[in-house]
Amino acid sequence: MATKRNESISDAVIRRLPRYYRHLSELLANNISRVSSGELGKEMGLTASQVRQDLNHFGGFGQQGYGYSVSNLRDEIARILCIDMKHRLVVIGAGSLGGALAKYPNFAKRNLEIIAIFDQDPSVIGKKIGDLIVLPVTKLDDFVKHHPVDIGVLAIPKDQAKLMAKKLSELGVKGIWNFSSTDLEMEETAAVVENVHLTDSLMRLTYRLHN
Amino acid sequence: MATKRNESISDAVIRRLPRYYRHLSELLANNISRVSSGELGKEMGLTASQVRQDLNHFGGFGQQGYGYSVSNLRDEIARILCIDMKHRLVVIGAGSLGGALAKYPNFAKRNLEIIAIFDQDPSVIGKKIGDLIVLPVTKLDDFVKHHPVDIGVLAIPKDQAKLMAKKLSELGVKGIWNFSSTDLEMEETAAVVENVHLTDSLMRLTYRLHN
DNA sequence: TAGATTGTTAATCGATTAACAATC
DNA sequence: TAGATTGTTAATCGATTAACAATC
């Protein structure tokens, strides 16, 4: 059971979980086996209070007078984020971004596996990207029906994104990781969407550069 | 003058600005010339109140009884985000992610220009990526001293990220767009850092997939 | 003018911080 | 035991929503 009660956890908390995970991994790599909320918070720019509040949404992982076991806490957060389970991804769009995502090295240790990559361009189909061969999108239906796919990664132009998201969702893919610069909202469907807007991120940087 | 007074704008507001910009661009592309806070909010999943509050941090761009001029509001937001100015970027790391960013098509219309890409690997140096030729990192100092560089894009392994951020900052580069999976914090230096953590984003998706 | 919609103030809601008893 | 640090409740702060007078 991930949460203590059936309370819904705020997005602000969820956003911090992967950061906790990274920082705890870092501590672990440095052979540090225990950490207090104060120390962890200081590293991450959070108050001790906030760290304890965040963690206590999911259960009491610490021990009074001692703090938290780094490896235990890291495992708990991995479990909360569900990266203790294997997830299978397909990438739609074998352009340079799709290709880069398909080869991204940091997925494996989080149990994330890219199992196929698709494109519609005949000049790209058949090419090798890492260990994968680019398949024609026309084979997508067939592929998904015969392989378990948890997440579809959209690295295609924005005008095709909505349609492809709908298709994936209809095929039973439950998660969409969207790199097309349009906000996908899937009210109709059951799929969960996570939008990554690279230019939005860069525009926040240009804002802060001058303010 | 971007803000009305010298109030500091909350991060939550800044995060929405690029979304406003995208949605207004969309409306403009569909030849819609005016929009009310209610309509814009509905499209974006915000209340009319919030739209008006957000915009009024920067000035009164609307007109009672009419709403907002789409093109005018879009221009104002572009100005607030400073994408009416040209920004010059250099990419550090010509791996597949660095390469993809160097070729990313959505930058140009926001006045963002990639002017060089660097790598340390001799087998990559000299290769062509889009219109650019990969330069050796040893030439970085010299390049930055002779060309105006606003933003450094880090697409390198995390253990090299901190050092490279420091170097860029010392060379006078004021913005760091960091794709290395470590949180760069530049208290010592004057550089502004925007972190993009792809695996964090994916972990939020796996969380929501199961909760 | 009447209707619509803004800009802005006030009320509410939620997230962060502070405080402290519990306890290892 | 004494010291440290948690889990949790209460207080504060800030962001979102509601309300409405101003006005195009």
Side-chain angles (χ1 to χ4, degrees):
Chain A
M1 184 187 59
T3 60
K4 287 158 92 180
R5 275 164 242 103
N6 225 7
E7 56 188 326
S8 120
I9 311 291
S10 85
D11 197 56
V13 176
I14 305 305
R15 292 189 73 83
R16 283 190 290 271
L17 291 179
R19 293 187 59 211
Y20 287 121
Y21 181 80
R22 269 190 289 112
H23 281 262
L24 290 163
S25 299
E26 204 68 34
L27 291 175
L28 208 60
N30 294 331
N31 287 313
I32 295 164
S33 61
R34 61 174 269 205
V35 71
S36 70
S37 57
E39 289 160 352
L40 187 54
K42 195 170 177 188
E43 271 178 49
M44 295 178 58
L46 307 172
T47 62
S49 248
Q50 184 161 40
V51 171
R52 294 204 299 279
Q53 287 278 27
D54 281 352
L55 299 177
N56 278 97
H57 281 114
F58 304 98
F61 304 133
Q63 198 171 306
Q64 282 103 326
Y66 175 85
Y68 300 85
S69 150
V70 173
S71 69
N72 176 248
L73 186 54
R74 180 172 168 281
D75 289 350
E76 290 287 358
I77 290 177
R79 194 181 48 72
I80 293 163
L81 288 168
C82 299
I83 54 168
D84 56 338
M85 306 180 202
K86 192 173 194 64
H87 287 91
R88 290 170 192 83
L89 287 71
V90 296
V91 176
I92 316 293
S96 50
L97 183 58
L101 294 170
K103 288 197 260 178
Y104 199 61
N106 294 349
F107 291 157
K109 61 181 103 140
R110 286 165 178 88
N111 268 317
L112 300 159
E113 192 192 356
I114 312 265
I115 59 171
I117 179 163
F118 294 87
D119 205 296
Q120 63 177 185
D121 181 350
S123 74
V124 174
I125 293 164
K127 272 196 176 175
K128 233 184 150 193
I129 292 185
D131 297 331
L132 301 169
I133 287 172
V134 180
L135 301 174
V137 266
T138 50
K139 293 263 176 74
L140 178 65
D141 289 51
D142 196 56
F143 185 92
V144 177
K145 279 170 190 153
H146 293 90
H147 301 79
V149 174
D150 304 289
I151 295 169
V153 183
L154 298 186
I156 52 181
K158 70 170 175 214
D159 45 297
Q160 301 167 35
K162 198 159 215 156
L163 199 68
M164 189 52 75
K166 193 158 172 278
K167 187 187 211 37
L168 284 166
S169 171
E170 283 165 3
L171 288 167
V173 177
K174 289 280 179 294
I176 306 282
W177 199 27
N178 175 43
F179 283 79
S180 306
S181 61
T182 183
D183 288 324
L184 287 178
E185 269 148 68
M186 307 251 77
E187 326 94 59
E188 351 65 82
T189 73
V192 176
V193 180
E194 168 85 11
N195 293 301
V196 180
H197 294 308
L198 295 177
T199 46
D200 284 20
S201 168
L202 200 35
M203 285 157 93
R204 290 194 290 273
L205 180 55
T206 56
Y207 174 86
R208 288 194 287 137
L209 222 38
H210 303 277
N211 288 277
Chain B
M1 183 187 59
T3 59
K4 287 159 89 181
R5 272 166 243 100
N6 227 6
E7 58 190 323
S8 121
I9 311 290
S10 85
D11 197 55
V13 175
I14 305 305
R15 293 189 73 81
R16 285 191 289 271
L17 291 178
R19 294 187 59 212
Y20 287 121
Y21 181 80
R22 271 191 286 111
H23 281 261
L24 290 163
S25 299
E26 204 69 35
L27 291 175
L28 208 60
N30 294 330
N31 287 312
I32 294 165
S33 61
R34 60 176 267 206
V35 70
S36 69
S37 56
E39 290 160 350
L40 187 54
K42 197 170 176 187
E43 274 177 47
M44 295 178 59
L46 307 171
T47 63
S49 249
Q50 185 161 40
V51 172
R52 294 204 298 279
Q53 288 278 26
D54 281 353
L55 299 177
N56 276 99
H57 281 113
F58 304 99
F61 303 133
Q63 196 172 307
Q64 281 103 326
Y66 175 85
Y68 300 85
S69 151
V70 173
S71 68
N72 174 248
L73 185 54
R74 181 173 167 281
D75 288 350
E76 290 286 359
I77 290 175
R79 194 180 49 72
I80 294 162
L81 288 168
C82 300
I83 55 169
D84 56 336
M85 305 180 204
K86 192 172 195 61
H87 287 91
R88 292 171 189 83
L89 287 72
V90 296
V91 176
I92 315 294
S96 50
L97 183 58
L101 293 170
K103 288 198 259 178
Y104 198 61
N106 293 349
F107 291 158
K109 62 181 102 142
R110 286 165 177 89
N111 268 317
L112 300 158
E113 192 192 358
I114 312 265
I115 59 170
I117 179 163
F118 295 85
D119 206 295
Q120 61 178 189
D121 181 350
S123 73
V124 174
I125 293 164
K127 270 199 177 173
K128 234 185 149 188
I129 292 185
D131 297 331
L132 301 169
I133 288 173
V134 180
L135 301 174
V137 266
T138 50
K139 292 263 177 74
L140 178 64
D141 289 51
D142 195 54
F143 185 92
V144 177
K145 279 171 190 155
H146 292 91
H147 301 81
V149 174
D150 304 291
I151 296 169
V153 183
L154 298 186
I156 51 180
K158 71 170 175 214
D159 45 298
Q160 301 168 33
K162 197 160 214 154
L163 200 67
M164 189 52 75
K166 194 160 173 279
K167 187 187 211 38
L168 284 166
S169 171
E170 284 165 2
L171 288 167
V173 177
K174 289 281 180 293
I176 306 282
W177 199 28
N178 174 41
F179 284 79
S180 305
S181 61
T182 183
D183 288 324
L184 288 178
E185 269 147 70
M186 307 252 75
E187 327 93 61
E188 351 61 85
T189 73
V192 176
V193 180
E194 169 84 12
N195 293 300
V196 180
H197 293 309
L198 294 177
T199 46
D200 284 19
S201 168
L202 200 36
M203 286 158 94
R204 290 193 291 270
L205 180 55
T206 56
Y207 173 85
R208 288 193 287 138
L209 221 40
H210 303 277
N211 287 279

